[in-house]
Amino acid sequence: MMPDVERRIASLFAATLNPEDRQMGLEEVLDKARSHDGLLLTSFDKLGPNFIPALPPSIRIIATHSVGYDHLSIPQAEAKGIAVTNTPGVLTDATADIALLLILGAARGASWGDRMVRENRWGETTLISPMGLDVSGKRLGILGMGRIGQAVAKRARAFGMTIHYHSRRPVSGEDALGATYHASFEALLPNSDFLSINCASTPETRGMVNAVALARLPDGAILVNTARGDIVEDAALIDALGSGRLAAAGLDVFKGEPAIDPRYRTLDNVFLLPHIGSATPGTRSAMGHKCIDNLKQFFAGEKPPDLLTTW
C-alpha cells in the first residue's frame, strides 16, 4: 500500500503487512488470519466463494480497499457476524477521468494510432484513412448515475455531449446535471451513441450488457466500462466489435481479470487499460486511509462510516 498508509497502519494496529506486495493464495491468507482480528484486502484478492466460510472465528471485520465488493459475499459475512467496509467517494474523480479517457481514446483511435507510430507505419495515413469518430454533439448514455456516473456526466458536458442515464431512481436537483432520465435500461440504449457503464456489479446487473442490449444501441455506438467486467458479456461485445455493429470500445475492467478473453487483444477497435481507474497516488492513499478509519472505528466499538453489512 502507499507508504503513508502503511505507516499509519503500523502505528495503530499490531499489523502483519505484505512488504513484498505479492499475491497471497487462499490457504496463506487463512493461515495468517488465525492470529488477527481483521483483514484489509483489495479487489485484486480473488480468494473464491469458500473464503469467508473458512475464516477463523477471530476475524471480526474485513476492510476492502475498493468501492466494489463483488469479490466478497456480504450474506456469508453477515452469517458469520463479520463486518465488511469499502471505500466509496474518494476515487470518484480518478475513475471519472479514466472513463473520459476511454471515451476519447476509443472514439479517436488512441490504441491503433499509438501502434502506428511505434511500428513506424505513420506513412500509411491519408486524408481519409484511418479516422476516428466525433465526441462533441453525441449522446452519452450512463448506466448508473451515482457519484462516478455524475462525475462522468459533468466531464462529458464539457465536451459538448448530451447526457442520458438510467439508474434505479431519478437523480434530483443539480446532481442531475440537466441529463434525461430513462426509467428502464432498454429505453436508455437507443439514446446512447456512447454507453458508459458506471453501476455496481450485483446479481441484477451481471451480464446485463448482453447481445440483446448491444443490438438496441445505435449502429456504430461506442461502449466504455470502468465499473466491473462481469456486467458485460464478453462474447456478445467481441462479436459486435468484430462485425462493426459497434464502432469501438474502451475497457478498464474485465471479467476474470487479469486473465481476460484473449480475443480482445486481436481487435484494433478496442482501447484497453489494466484496471487503473483509481491508480493515482492521492486516490490510492485516500482509499487506504478510509480503510484505516473504518477499522479504527470498528475496534473502538463504533459503527464504521462505510459499513456494508448489518450493524
Side-chain angles (χ1 to χ4, degrees):
M1 309 193 88
M2 297 299 292
D4 58 320
V5 174
E6 292 194 347
R7 286 193 296 270
R8 187 176 173 213
I9 290 172
S11 71
L12 291 172
F13 307 108
T16 300
L17 302 178
N18 182 9
E20 299 87 10
D21 199 21
R22 60 184 176 81
Q23 196 78 30
M24 294 186 188
L26 174 61
E27 292 304 319
E28 184 177 4
V29 172
L30 292 175
D31 180 62
K32 292 181 180 296
R34 292 188 182 93
S35 59
H36 294 78
D37 303 295
L39 294 172
L40 199 169
L41 304 176
T42 78
S43 60
F44 299 112
D45 296 309
K46 312 293 187 183
L47 297 170
N50 298 320
F51 163 59
I52 290 179
L55 283 172
S58 64
I59 295 298
R60 298 159 52 202
I61 181 172
I62 300 172
T64 181
H65 189 280
S66 61
V67 172
Y69 48 90
D70 49 301
H71 54 295
L72 298 169
S73 170
I74 301 302
Q76 286 182 346
E78 290 188 324
K80 290 199 69 165
I82 298 174
V84 178
T85 65
N86 65 343
T87 61
V90 293
L91 71 169
T92 297
D93 287 332
T95 304
D97 289 346
I98 288 291
L100 263 292
L101 173 65
L102 291 174
I103 288 171
L104 295 168
R108 298 304 303 270
S111 55
W112 53 253
D114 179 81
R115 286 196 299 274
M116 290 188 76
V117 176
R118 292 180 187 276
E119 295 169 7
N120 198 26
R121 294 190 292 114
W122 194 334
E124 298 174 15
T125 61
T126 71
L127 286 177
I128 60 172
S129 178
M131 288 194 292
L133 297 172
D134 290 319
V135 171
S136 179
K138 300 299 184 180
R139 298 169 297 175
L140 172 64
I142 296 176
L143 175 58
M145 194 70 158
R147 291 186 184 94
I148 296 174
Q150 291 170 30
V152 172
K154 182 178 180 181
R155 287 157 172 76
R157 284 184 64 193
F159 282 87
M161 303 188 85
T162 302
I163 313 301
H164 297 253
Y165 74 97
H166 168 67
S167 287
R168 286 173 292 179
R169 62 187 66 87
V171 177
S172 60
E174 294 182 357
D175 290 340
L177 298 165
T180 300
Y181 173 68
H182 297 271
S184 70
F185 180 45
E186 292 75 17
L188 171 70
L189 293 168
N191 295 283
S192 303
D193 301 311
F194 290 74
L195 178 65
S196 177
I197 301 172
N198 300 106
C199 60
S201 173
T202 67
E204 293 74 30
T205 62
R206 287 173 198 139
M208 189 176 188
V209 183
N210 53 27
V212 173
L214 294 174
R216 290 193 172 103
L217 289 168
D219 287 338
I222 291 175
L223 179 143
V224 301
N225 188 4
T226 55
R228 283 292 185 267
D230 60 8
I231 298 169
V232 176
E233 287 191 358
D234 287 332
L237 178 56
I238 289 167
D239 286 348
L241 290 166
S243 69
R245 175 75 180 78
L246 293 187
L251 306 174
D252 185 46
V253 290
F254 304 84
K255 184 177 181 179
E257 60 188 43
I260 71 171
D261 190 313
R263 291 176 292 177
Y264 281 123
R265 299 189 181 98
T266 69
L267 296 170
D268 284 335
N269 56 345
V270 185
F271 183 31
L272 306 172
L273 294 176
H275 200 157
I276 57 172
S278 66
T280 70
T283 300
R284 290 280 168 87
S285 179
M287 292 171 71
H289 286 293
K290 209 163 183 48
C291 288
I292 295 172
D293 292 342
N294 282 306
L295 291 165
K296 185 178 177 182
Q297 289 198 216
F298 177 83
F299 288 122
E302 303 170 2
K303 182 179 178 180
D306 304 303
L307 186 68
L308 297 169
T309 46
T310 303
W311 181 249

